[in-house]
Amino acid sequence: MSPLPDLFPIEPFTAPVRGFVTLPGSKSLTNRTLILAALANGKTLLHSALFSRDTCIMISALRALGFEVTSDESAKTIEIVGRDGEIPATEATLHVGNAGNAARFLTAFVCLRKNGVFHFDSDEEMRLRPISALIDALESQGAQASARAFPFTLRTFGLKGGEIKIDASESSQMLSALLMVAPLADNDVTIRPVNTLRMPFVEMTNRLMTDFAGASASHQPHDGSFHSVCQHYRAPGVYQIEPDASAASYFETLPVVVGGTLSLTGLNPPGHSLQGDAHFLSVIQKIGAEIVPQSVPETTPNSMPSGKRGTEIEVHWDKLRSRRVLTEDFSTFSDTFLTLAALAPLLDGPTRISGIAHTRKQETNRVTGMARELTKLGQRVIETEGALEIHPRPLVSGIEIETYKDHRFAMSFGILGCHDLHGSGRAWLAIKDPACCSKTFPSFFDLLAQLRASSH
């Protein structure tokens, strides 16, 4: 992986893209399976795991808690020895960076320890992100927290079980955190969300729990509650991580920007993926891209649960085709809304993106940040609490895109910058702090450069 400068000009494609992309493993799946593997009894070997800042934070935290974790980045494997619900360390200091899922999952995870003391800290950005509702829920189970935001110290006494109420409307990760530890409470658990929440990532968590336990928390549609019975997790032996559907959105969009055909190997289509963000493929179809799913020979043993690498998605775009306008509700796959927003200046009319109010409390205020950067590029943007309406105008050259330490800004505008605005291959857009991609996709710009070189 090449070192990146603080300001990185994007070199446009001068020819349609061609080739294939092998995507990194899913961050959401990697960090969830690390928690579940640590809770299970025995060894689990994760294949195609993501190695990024967020997943390395989780690995470091588990080691600090006394777990045996062996990782091989070149082979994309992580082996973890589960302790059947036991947290080995009685005291530890855990730094969660700006990794939202690690922060919330670990906060609930350590509460299984009886008579434990755990000191949490984070990056400045994480100190502004929601965690207090989870702490409230855990205190109702007996934990004691020194504060309602990072940094804090958590004194833990195990989980007593029974009814837990939580408002997970600001982040469904808080509900997922409770679901994963609930089977190991002293008694059966009923979790009652007290507000509306986004279900795709909760459903992902529940399906993963089935792979590790044979049973998941039962969801009661009439009142929205989840019921979990006491049970032990079982190590599946080997577990295959799906490619990251959020990361896939950038390369699904690339042919729309530069023309050509790109194959994404191992990607499961909507309906066959654990990840809600797989739905972004239908967004690209609505714009006018041709999507061709293909089968390729299996590359992993049939015994591996979850994402098989025996699929391939081909995205094709004819440069003479018009790019259709779109109105889309992103409430169930909001990590990908920035991908469409950055593409919007190239569409044939206004784009309306809704269902994104909660993204104001993610790595940064993504709604306002996106509106600000698109405006710098000359676009007319109407911003409301939960929506953006983007009216295409001629793109302004020589713009430096602020990324707000948010990987999704860097990657989304990195794809827009591949558009040959001047028809000469001259860079017209530069990305500040491109290294922020290390959060989920450290090799993103290297991969983009390889595709550019192979497409000439």
Side-chain angles (χ1 to χ4, degrees):
M1 186 172 62
S2 304
L4 295 168
D6 292 338
L7 184 64
F8 186 61
I10 303 298
E11 183 181 345
F13 279 59
T14 56
V17 66
R18 60 183 180 185
F20 68 93
V21 171
T22 300
L23 295 160
S26 162
K27 176 194 72 172
S28 298
L29 292 174
T30 299
N31 272 354
R32 280 169 172 79
T33 52
L34 281 169
I35 288 287
L36 292 170
L39 292 173
N41 183 18
K43 291 182 180 179
T44 300
L45 180 65
L46 304 180
H47 272 251
S48 304
L50 173 66
F51 283 81
S52 69
R53 187 184 184 220
D54 279 18
T55 57
C56 289
I57 283 170
M58 180 67 86
I59 291 170
S60 296
L62 290 173
R63 287 173 175 158
L65 291 169
F67 289 91
E68 182 184 340
V69 185
T70 306
S71 59
D72 184 340
E73 185 169 356
S74 62
K76 307 300 182 190
T77 60
I78 305 170
E79 183 178 81
I80 181 165
V81 181
R83 301 290 292 266
D84 199 17
E86 175 197 356
I87 309 295
T90 57
E91 185 168 1
T93 297
L94 307 175
H95 197 289
V96 299
N98 193 21
N101 59 17
R104 289 148 188 152
F105 298 167
L106 289 165
T107 299
F109 180 75
V110 299
C111 286
L112 291 170
R113 176 75 204 195
K114 289 181 168 61
N115 299 313
V117 180
F118 302 98
H119 311 285
F120 283 86
D121 203 353
S122 70
D123 291 354
E124 191 65 35
E125 292 79 14
M126 190 65 217
R127 296 177 183 183
L128 302 175
R129 298 176 66 184
I131 189 81
S132 61
L134 177 59
I135 292 174
D136 289 343
L138 293 168
E139 286 202 327
S140 75
Q141 289 288 296
Q144 297 174 0
S146 64
R148 289 295 185 276
F150 292 98
F152 59 83
T153 295
L154 197 60
R155 296 185 179 274
T156 64
F157 303 94
L159 299 173
K160 63 184 180 182
E163 182 172 289
I164 306 175
K165 293 182 179 180
I166 186 167
D167 183 352
S169 57
E170 291 186 309
S171 173
S172 66
Q173 290 170 353
M174 295 188 285
L175 176 55
S176 287
L178 291 176
L179 285 172
M180 287 189 286
V181 297
L184 295 164
D186 295 337
N187 297 285
D188 293 353
V189 173
T190 297
I191 303 173
R192 297 191 185 279
V194 298
N195 213 329
T196 57
L197 55 93
R198 294 170 300 283
M199 286 297 294
F201 284 97
V202 176
E203 292 168 353
M204 173 197 292
T205 301
N206 233 359
R207 290 171 66 183
L208 286 174
M209 290 169 62
T210 301
D211 287 340
F212 279 80
S216 57
S218 59
H219 184 214
Q220 309 301 317
H222 67 280
D223 65 359
S225 65
F226 294 82
H227 184 69
S228 175
V229 299
C230 294
Q231 60 183 313
H232 293 272
Y233 285 109
R234 300 188 305 268
V238 179
Y239 197 91
Q240 177 77 23
I241 303 294
E242 287 184 7
D244 195 302
S246 307
S249 71
Y250 310 114
F251 292 99
E252 291 164 2
T253 304
L254 183 59
V256 182
V257 173
V258 303
T261 301
L262 190 60
S263 295
L264 291 82
T265 60
L267 190 66
N268 292 328
H272 298 275
S273 173
L274 289 166
Q275 303 167 77
D277 285 358
H279 184 69
F280 188 82
L281 199 62
S282 68
V283 171
I284 295 300
Q285 282 185 297
K286 291 175 185 177
I287 291 170
E290 181 181 355
I291 308 298
V292 182
Q294 298 182 354
S295 295
V296 297
E298 287 286 352
T299 59
T300 58
N302 290 331
S303 59
M304 286 189 186
S306 193
K308 296 180 180 179
R309 291 270 170 168
T311 56
E312 183 173 281
I313 300 292
E314 186 178 273
V315 182
H316 174 73
W317 187 271
D318 184 337
K319 290 189 77 170
L320 298 178
R321 186 176 300 173
S322 62
R323 302 181 182 99
R324 294 197 289 265
V325 300
L326 196 64
T327 295
E328 191 72 31
D329 181 347
F330 275 80
S331 57
T332 60
F333 58 116
S334 60
D335 277 351
T336 62
F337 98 79
L338 293 92
T339 315
L340 177 62
L343 173 65
L346 302 181
L347 303 186
D348 289 344
T351 299
R352 178 172 170 77
I353 297 170
S354 62
I356 55 175
H358 63 282
T359 69
R360 292 181 178 276
K361 295 184 178 181
Q362 292 185 308
E363 280 81 348
T364 187
N365 183 333
R366 286 178 167 171
V367 181
T368 294
M370 180 54 71
R372 184 180 296 130
E373 300 312 304
L374 287 170
T375 300
K376 283 163 54 176
L377 286 167
Q379 309 307 293
R380 177 173 174 251
V381 182
I382 301 172
E383 175 188 355
T384 59
E385 178 64 22
L388 290 174
E389 189 174 297
I390 304 157
H391 295 255
R393 299 288 188 269
L395 284 161
V396 176
S397 185
I399 297 300
E400 297 178 358
I401 295 295
E402 180 62 61
T403 53
Y404 310 96
K405 299 182 180 180
D406 189 331
H407 54 137
R408 303 215 180 277
F409 279 84
M411 292 186 280
S412 297
F413 283 105
I415 295 298
L416 177 64
C418 293
H419 170 61
D420 193 7
L421 180 64
H422 300 298
S424 62
R426 175 164 59 91
W428 59 276
L429 176 152
I431 304 292
K432 292 183 178 180
D433 185 26
C436 67
C437 293
S438 65
K439 181 177 176 67
T440 57
F441 202 158
S443 62
F444 174 80
F445 286 107
D446 281 344
L447 185 52
L448 202 56
Q450 292 167 15
L451 286 171
R452 186 183 299 110
S454 67
S455 299
H456 285 123

